């Protein structure tokens, strides 16, 4: 029996478990353990953080890492993690090995390595970015212990195979409202989404709209069957209702000229979560977003424009919050000498001379446009 056959058989089994976990979240620890075994590593987790590590969240973990050390990371040490920039700005769904993107010397000299990674024997992380919004990213990661060795191309390939399915499962879990035990109905979950969402019946009548949709399209009577928006007329609603009963996307234009991309999610018959007072049956949930380009984040633009390395970008961003080199070093968990070295390179690449100049440079990258 070929190794390729074994890989394909294992992959199919793991993928099936991933989608099961989307519906039953209590299965995630076991499923992540299967993912870990397939990818190769000591532990697996699904988590999120921003580029500075100041905002972070743990969603699911297989339980193989020390719970106390996991808590320490998410409560205190995440801002010191040298891999933040590498992971947040990685390609979506692409399996990546941290040790292949990060200068080993930067990592070895960091306080993060001394206080968290080395005591646990962790030497590498393979990961795939599941979603990114500006300077924030959701990640699927598999940690490597000394006994596993550094990650390699096989690990990266297997992460790439799993990542699209893990990403879809997380989205499904969000849509179904299973990620929070406190969310008891689909209606409550939709109301809490930042994305604009409406629910319509077969005649294109509006049955439900969350606050984001009301802000995007202009609130009108939202309490009765046939409720409406200022910016969306009945012909546009009927256009959405007449789409084939399968998931898809379409383009609509509002009465005030707004261009909207609509992603249609058919609802099964008898979905009581959205049943209106008049008894109308919902046929689709519509996810709406402005048809606009999402401009790259300021730090990402800065890094690309001046060819800053991940370590240099970390130091440049830290200078926005701290005036003193000692404070930057403390915040990032690296030596003052390392901070000065990276600052010197940043000054050279950006043609600046002082930390105040870096602040002005970042401000210059701030777009004057309002992003919808």
């Amino acid at each position: 029996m070929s190794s390729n056959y074994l890989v394909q058989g294992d992959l199919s089994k793991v993928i099936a478990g991933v989608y099961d976990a989307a519906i039953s979240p209590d299965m995630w620890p076991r499923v992540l353990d299967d993912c870990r075994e397939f990818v190769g590593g000591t532990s697996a987790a699904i988590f999120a953080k921003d580029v500075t590590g100041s905002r972070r969240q743990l969603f699911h973990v297989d339980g193989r890492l020390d719970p106390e050390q996991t808590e320490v990371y998410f409560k205190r040490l995440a801002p010191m993690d040298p891999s933040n920039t590498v992971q947040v700005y990685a390609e979506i769904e692409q399996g990546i090995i941290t040790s292949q993107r990060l200068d080993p010397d930067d990592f070895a000299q960091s306080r993060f390595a001394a206080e968290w990674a080395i005591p646990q024997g962790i030497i590498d992380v393979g990961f795939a970015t599941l979603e990114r919004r500006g300077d924030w990213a959701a990640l699927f990661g598999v940690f490597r212990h000394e006994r596993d060795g550094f990650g390699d191309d096989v690990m990266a390939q297997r992460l790439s195979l799993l990542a699209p399915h893990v990403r879809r499962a997380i989205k499904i879990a969000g849509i179904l409202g299973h990620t929070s035990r406190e969310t008891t109905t689909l209606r409550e979950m939709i109301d809490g989404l930042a994305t604009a969402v409406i629910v319509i019946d077969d005649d294109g009548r509006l049955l439900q709209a969350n606050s984001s949709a009301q802000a995007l399209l202009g609130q009108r009577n939202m309490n009765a069957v046939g409720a409406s928006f200022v910016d969306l007329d009945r012909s546009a609603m009927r256009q959405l209702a007449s789409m084939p009963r399968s998931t898809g996307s379409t383009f609509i234009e509002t009465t005030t000229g707004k261009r909207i991309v609509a992603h249609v999610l058919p609802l099964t018959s008898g979905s009581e979560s959205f049943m209106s007072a008049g008894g109308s049956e919902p046929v689709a949930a519509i996810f709406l977003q402005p048809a606009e380009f999402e401009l790259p984040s300021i730090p990402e633009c800065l890094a690309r424009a001046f060819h800053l390395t991940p370590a240099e970008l970390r130091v440049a961003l830290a200078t926005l919050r701290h005036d003193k080199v000692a404070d930057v070093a403390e915040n990032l968990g690296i030596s003052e000498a390392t901070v000065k070295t990276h600052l010197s390179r940043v000054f050279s690449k950006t043609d600046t001379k002082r930390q105040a100049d870096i602040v002005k440079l970042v401000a210059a990258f701030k777009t004057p446009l309002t992003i919808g």
Side-chain angles (χ1 to χ4, degrees):
M1 188 176 296
S2 70
S3 59
N4 184 60
Y5 179 86
L6 287 174
V7 169
Q8 292 301 323
D10 292 342
L11 178 62
S12 298
K13 177 182 176 181
V14 174
I15 289 174
V18 166
Y19 287 112
D20 287 342
I23 299 173
S24 303
D26 57 347
M27 294 180 62
W28 273 115
R30 180 181 65 78
V31 170
L32 282 174
D33 192 45
D34 290 341
C35 291
R36 171 203 62 79
E37 186 173 2
F38 174 75
V39 171
T42 192
S43 183
I46 298 172
F47 55 100
K49 58 183 175 180
D50 68 359
V51 70
T52 64
S54 58
R55 290 187 296 120
R56 58 268 186 184
Q57 184 175 359
L58 179 64
F59 297 117
H60 303 291
V61 66
D62 62 5
R64 285 180 167 268
L65 285 182
D66 185 329
E68 292 185 4
Q69 289 295 330
T70 301
E71 184 177 5
V72 167
Y73 178 91
F74 283 96
K75 282 193 173 182
R76 184 169 63 86
L77 294 181
M80 298 182 185
D81 189 346
S83 68
N84 288 338
T85 51
V86 173
Q87 294 175 348
V88 170
Y89 293 140
E91 302 87 343
I92 299 293
E93 297 184 359
Q94 181 68 48
I96 291 173
I97 307 303
T98 301
S99 62
Q100 296 177 358
R101 294 287 185 95
L102 187 67
D103 187 335
D105 290 336
D106 282 338
F107 186 82
Q109 294 172 11
S110 69
R111 200 172 111 199
F112 173 79
E115 293 189 14
W116 194 82
I118 294 174
Q120 297 182 85
I122 294 174
I123 60 171
D124 207 353
V125 181
F127 69 92
T129 301
L130 304 177
E131 183 177 352
R132 179 152 70 88
R133 300 172 191 163
D135 299 328
W136 174 96
L139 305 159
F140 163 49
V142 177
F143 298 86
R144 300 278 284 200
H145 193 270
E146 291 172 337
R147 59 177 172 269
D148 304 313
F150 287 98
D152 53 19
D153 291 342
V154 173
M155 183 186 194
Q157 180 185 30
R158 294 193 175 195
L159 282 164
S160 296
L161 290 172
L162 285 182
H165 303 286
V166 176
R167 185 185 184 197
R168 289 177 197 138
I170 293 298
K171 286 181 176 291
I172 289 170
I175 290 172
L176 296 179
H178 287 294
T179 54
S180 171
R181 294 297 183 183
E182 296 177 357
T183 303
T184 57
T185 67
L186 188 55
R187 179 189 292 271
E188 291 172 340
M189 188 279 293
I190 291 292
D191 285 340
L193 286 178
T195 302
V197 185
I198 63 174
V199 178
I200 59 176
D201 68 8
D202 197 48
D203 190 41
R205 291 185 297 180
L206 182 66
L207 305 183
Q208 172 75 5
N210 67 356
S211 58
S212 297
Q214 295 172 36
L216 176 64
L217 298 172
Q219 182 173 359
R220 195 172 272 171
N221 181 9
M222 293 290 131
N223 298 317
V225 176
S228 61
F229 290 113
V230 174
D231 285 356
L232 205 60
D233 59 21
R234 284 300 301 277
S235 63
M237 300 287 278
R238 290 194 181 98
Q239 175 188 341
L240 295 173
S242 64
M243 288 187 67
R245 295 294 181 261
S246 61
T247 303
S249 301
T250 189
F251 170 82
I252 58 176
E253 189 165 341
T254 70
T255 55
T256 56
K258 293 179 183 177
R259 297 177 177 180
I260 305 291
V261 177
H263 305 281
V264 181
L265 176 68
L267 298 175
T268 57
S269 178
S271 178
E272 297 182 356
S273 296
F274 290 111
M275 197 68 74
S276 69
S280 296
E281 185 172 303
V283 297
I286 316 294
F287 297 77
L288 305 167
Q289 63 186 57
E292 300 174 347
F293 288 112
E294 182 179 346
L295 299 181
S297 67
I298 292 174
E300 186 176 14
C301 287
L302 194 69
R304 288 180 177 178
F306 297 102
H307 307 289
L308 302 181
T309 67
E312 291 164 357
L313 180 60
R314 287 181 72 227
V315 171
L317 294 176
T319 62
L320 302 180
R321 303 187 305 275
H322 305 285
D323 294 329
K324 298 179 180 179
V325 169
D327 292 337
V328 173
E330 174 67 21
N331 180 258
L332 298 182
I334 56 180
S335 70
E336 292 185 30
T338 301
V339 172
K340 290 178 181 178
T341 297
H342 289 314
L343 270 179
S344 176
R345 292 171 182 167
V346 171
F347 290 151
S348 177
K349 290 182 177 181
T350 59
D351 195 24
T352 55
K353 297 180 179 179
R354 302 174 303 163
Q355 290 174 229
D357 294 333
I358 297 177
V359 175
K360 294 177 182 178
L361 185 63
V362 171
F365 272 78
K366 185 176 176 63
T367 174
L369 304 176
T370 300
I371 305 300

